[in-house]
Structures are given as structure tokens and as C-alpha cells.
Amino acid sequence: MGDWDFLDSFESGSRPTQRAWQHFFQAEDLAGAAARKDPEKDGSVKNILYYMALSLANIAIGLKNLSVGLRATYILLEQVNKKLGK
């Protein structure tokens, strides 16, 4: 497993919007952890940048999942409108 493989480890059966929420929640936690680190006391700038990179990666994956969920919503809406004759 590579350094970034765990980013897509959320429950595969969950809806894309639920996975997006999980990624955004994790991104917030990681960004908060980076903000609380003092490079002079608890970690190097490299560690802080690593937390920020993980946070940004979670945001990107969350946005990707949101777009999948939004597309699915539009497809379903189109089907409903066709059945309604709109």
C-alpha cells in the first residue's frame, strides 16, 4: 500500500456524497492538526506540509465524489422529468 492509497479507503458501498463528506471531514482534521503544530517544538515544516498535502488530497477526492453524486442526481432528475412528461 502506497502513502496515498488509504485516501480512497472509505466504505465502497456508501453513496458518493457520503464519501465526499467523510473526505471533507478528514481534510478539516488534517488541516487543523497542521495548524496546531509548531515547527520549533513538535515537528518539522516537512511534517506540517505533509498534513496539508493530505488535507488537500482529501478535498480533491471529496470534490470528485461530489461531482459523481451530482451527476447521478441529474440523471435521476432527467428520468423523473421524462416520466412526468416535462
Side-chain angles (χ1 to χ4, degrees), residues 50-75:
Y50 181 73
Y51 277 104
M52 294 306 294
L54 288 175
S55 178
L56 184 59
N58 272 286
I59 291 169
I61 293 169
L63 289 171
K64 179 180 169 185
N65 283 312
L66 264 183
S67 70
V68 169
L70 185 60
R71 179 68 185 135
T73 300
Y74 278 113
I75 290 170

Side-chain angles (χ1 to χ4, degrees), residues 29-84:
D29 281 351
L30 289 164
R36 289 186 298 274
K37 291 216 174 276
D38 180 349
E40 308 224 352
K41 294 180 184 173
D42 357 68
S44 68
V45 171
K46 183 178 178 181
N47 287 337
I48 293 170
L49 291 175
Y50 181 73
Y51 277 104
M52 294 306 294
L54 288 175
S55 178
L56 184 59
N58 272 286
I59 291 169
I61 293 169
L63 289 171
K64 179 180 169 185
N65 283 312
L66 264 183
S67 70
V68 169
L70 185 60
R71 179 68 185 135
T73 300
Y74 278 113
I75 290 170
L76 289 173
L77 181 61
E78 186 176 327
Q79 291 171 353
V80 168
N81 283 336
K82 282 181 184 178
K83 286 182 180 180
L84 293 174

